[in-house]
Amino acid sequence: MQRLILIIIGWIAVVLATLGVVLPLLPTTPFLLLAAWCFARSSPRFHHWLLYRSWFGGYLRYWQQHKAMPRGAKPRAIAFILVTFAVSLWLVNMFWVRILLLTILGCLLIFMWRIPVIDEKQQNP
C-alpha cells in the first residue's frame, strides 16, 4: 500500500512540475525532487524513466552528481522566469496581486542566483 501511495504522489508531483514550467506561481524544482524521492523508494522503473527518459532527467542527474546547475541552464531559467512573471504582471490588474508577484519573483531570483554553477572543467578534475 505504501508503494502505491508513493507512486501516486510521484506522478502527481511530475504533473505539477510540468505545469510549473509555464505557471509562474507553481514551482517546478521542488515537485521534481519530490517525484524523484517517491520513485526512488517505490518504483525503480519510474525512477529510471524520470532520470533518463523525461524532459527533466538531465537536470536531475546533474543535480544528483554535482549539487549544481550546468553552465547555460541558469541564464535560461532566469530568462524564462522573468518572461513568465512579466506576462503575469501584465495580465493582472489587482495591485496587491502585483506586489505579491513581485515579492515572489524577487525571492525566486535570489534563490536562483545562489545556486552554484559548474562547468566542464570543474566536472572532470
Side-chain angles (χ1 to χ4, degrees):
M1 188 66 169
Q2 180 184 5
R3 181 178 181 270
L4 180 62
I5 291 170
L6 286 174
I7 290 173
I8 291 169
I9 292 171
W11 279 111
I12 290 171
V14 168
V15 169
L16 290 173
T18 304
L19 288 173
V21 170
V22 293
L23 299 175
L25 293 180
L26 194 63
T28 301
T29 305
F31 288 119
L32 280 179
L33 295 176
L34 175 62
W37 183 85
C38 288
F39 290 157
R41 282 151 184 78
S42 63
S43 173
R45 187 180 86 183
F46 291 149
H47 189 247
H48 185 269
W49 172 83
L50 186 63
L51 292 180
Y52 294 98
R53 302 269 189 242
S54 74
W55 188 64
F56 307 111
Y59 297 109
L60 285 171
R61 287 191 315 274
Y62 204 89
W63 181 259
Q64 284 183 341
Q65 292 173 0
H66 306 290
K67 298 292 186 235
M69 293 180 78
R71 189 169 183 80
K74 189 185 255 188
R76 284 192 308 267
I78 290 173
F80 198 73
I81 289 167
L82 290 172
V83 168
T84 56
F85 270 86
V87 170
S88 296
L89 288 166
W90 182 64
L91 293 174
V92 170
N93 292 326
M94 291 181 275
F95 180 74
W96 68 272
V97 175
R98 284 185 176 175
I99 296 299
L100 179 65
L101 284 171
L102 287 171
T103 303
I104 293 169
L105 174 62
C107 292
L108 189 56
L109 289 176
I110 290 169
F111 173 76
M112 288 297 293
W113 178 69
R114 295 185 63 190
I115 295 175
V117 174
I118 189 169
D119 61 10
E120 293 82 18
K121 294 175 189 173
Q122 292 171 320
Q123 284 183 46
N124 303 318

